[in-house]
Amino acid sequence: MLLDTYGRVATDLRVSLTDRCNLRCTYCMPEEGLQWLAKPELLTDDEIVRLVRIAVDELGVEEVRFTGGEPLLRPGLVGIVERCAALPKRPKLSLTTNGIGLERTAPALRDAGLDRVNVSLDTLSPDVFQRMTRRKRHADVLRGLAAAQDAGLTPVKVNSVLMPGLNDDEAPGLLAWAVAHGYELRFIEQMPLDAQHGWQRDGMITAGDILESLRTRFTLTPEGEDERGSAPAERWVVDGGPHRVGVIASVTRPFCRACDRTRLTADGQVRTCLFATEESDLRGALRDGASDDEIAARWRLAMWGKKAGAGIDDPSFVQPDRPMSAIGG
């Protein structure tokens, strides 16, 4: 198992398949994009599947989430999903995507064995979408969401980040839309993971702000800690149910004590936390001919050193050098 010194056990693996993205969200990267990883630096399809197999067979991982960058840009995505779904100890398989291209690929991903998707959508306005992402692709995301639901990749979860002066008034409208379409909406506080290092706590839209806004239109009943478990989102029942809304308050209400995640970057580095400033190299071990047992031992050692918390509230907190697109959000 992947145990740390605080008694937490990682059973949820997040795998970044690429650092590339076809959007330029203002809270993630600059308009001109970033210096992408060269192809030889990326894990190959075989290497990804091998690491997932080791995580599942030897380290107790039960859930695998494929992320990016934008994972739909990975040419071998469907094959990776299919091979992971065929593992003897089959993990639950999900995908976090911006939804562009999902209309075309949702049926193939379902047939390959994907269980469900999370789709990022921060606004119902095409104009605001363009301002936030610097791309005119709002309609593509909506079609991708519908296609995912039609394909049975459910529950379809929608992730939204609210930004001051852009979409900070949209929380009630987003929830009404999600309820009408049968999507599960989750608001995520903006985190200090932007490539520009422009994040500032002052002025950010907090979980408290979001809930106050939602309660102007809806009755929200806390779901309770027993239901939450190790999930990052606190959830509320909307107007008596059955719909729910979640808030991931990584900044103002950290959930580090219940964290059960381990992360693998597109270039084969283990990260114990989104906000970690250190990584442990598995790609080098793979390419040097290490055995499965040796790789598992390296992974255990990396997770054993996981810190107690992200440390965002600590005055000494240092934002990671690598942005969200490089480490898998």
Side-chain angles (χ1 to χ4, degrees), residues 42-63:
L42 295 172
L43 292 174
T44 66
D45 293 1
D46 287 345
E47 288 170 338
I48 290 169
V49 174
R50 183 183 174 195
L51 288 174
V52 170
R53 177 178 57 76
I54 291 170
V56 172
D57 286 353
E58 301 196 26
L59 299 173
V61 163
E62 299 171 353
E63 299 184 33

Side-chain angles (χ1 to χ4, degrees), residues 16 19 37 41 193 262-284 298-299 301-303 305-307 320-328:
S16 175
D19 60 331
L37 291 166
E41 296 179 59
L193 293 170
T262 182
R263 299 177 182 276
L264 188 65
T265 67
D267 54 350
Q269 310 300 306
V270 171
R271 293 183 65 86
T272 60
C273 173
L274 267 177
F275 305 106
T277 55
E278 298 177 348
E279 299 175 336
S280 300
D281 181 30
L282 294 187
R283 184 190 64 193
R298 287 189 181 217
W299 208 328
L301 182 61
M303 294 304 296
K306 183 173 182 172
K307 295 181 179 179
D321 289 333
R322 301 184 80 183
M324 189 185 306
S325 61
I327 61 181

Side-chain angles (χ1 to χ4, degrees), residues 10 33 49 67 212 242 258 294 319:
V49 174
T67 71
E212 182 179 359
E294 290 170 333
Q319 183 171 337

Side-chain angles (χ1 to χ4, degrees), residues 23-94:
L23 297 180
R24 297 291 181 269
C25 297
T26 55
Y27 52 78
C28 187
M29 68 174 69
E31 186 171 5
E32 65 273 15
L34 300 169
Q35 182 67 46
W36 310 123
L37 291 166
K39 188 173 181 178
E41 296 179 59
L42 295 172
L43 292 174
T44 66
D45 293 1
D46 287 345
E47 288 170 338
I48 290 169
V49 174
R50 183 183 174 195
L51 288 174
V52 170
R53 177 178 57 76
I54 291 170
V56 172
D57 286 353
E58 301 196 26
L59 299 173
V61 163
E62 299 171 353
E63 299 184 33
V64 177
R65 172 91 59 83
F66 297 110
T67 71
E70 175 44 54
L72 292 181
L73 296 179
R74 176 88 185 201
L77 171 61
V78 173
I80 291 170
V81 170
E82 186 172 31
R83 292 169 67 184
C84 290
L87 293 172
K89 295 182 180 179
R90 186 198 191 283
K92 297 178 182 177
L93 298 172
S94 60

Side-chain angles (χ1 to χ4, degrees), residues 114-160:
L114 192 71
D115 294 309
R116 64 170 192 83
V117 295
N118 286 20
V119 180
S120 299
L121 181 66
D122 304 319
T123 176
L124 299 178
S125 165
D127 291 337
V128 174
F129 183 90
Q130 184 176 352
R131 289 172 62 195
M132 293 187 72
T133 69
R134 305 183 178 103
R135 298 290 186 270
K136 294 182 179 181
R137 306 300 297 272
H138 189 260
D140 295 311
V141 180
L142 295 181
R143 287 195 295 268
L145 279 160
Q149 191 166 61
D150 290 345
L153 297 173
T154 55
V156 175
K157 296 183 180 181
V158 177
N159 295 337
S160 297

Side-chain angles (χ1 to χ4, degrees), residues 228-241:
R228 181 181 184 183
S230 61
E234 294 180 76
R235 296 203 310 174
W236 284 262
V237 178
V238 180
D239 289 343

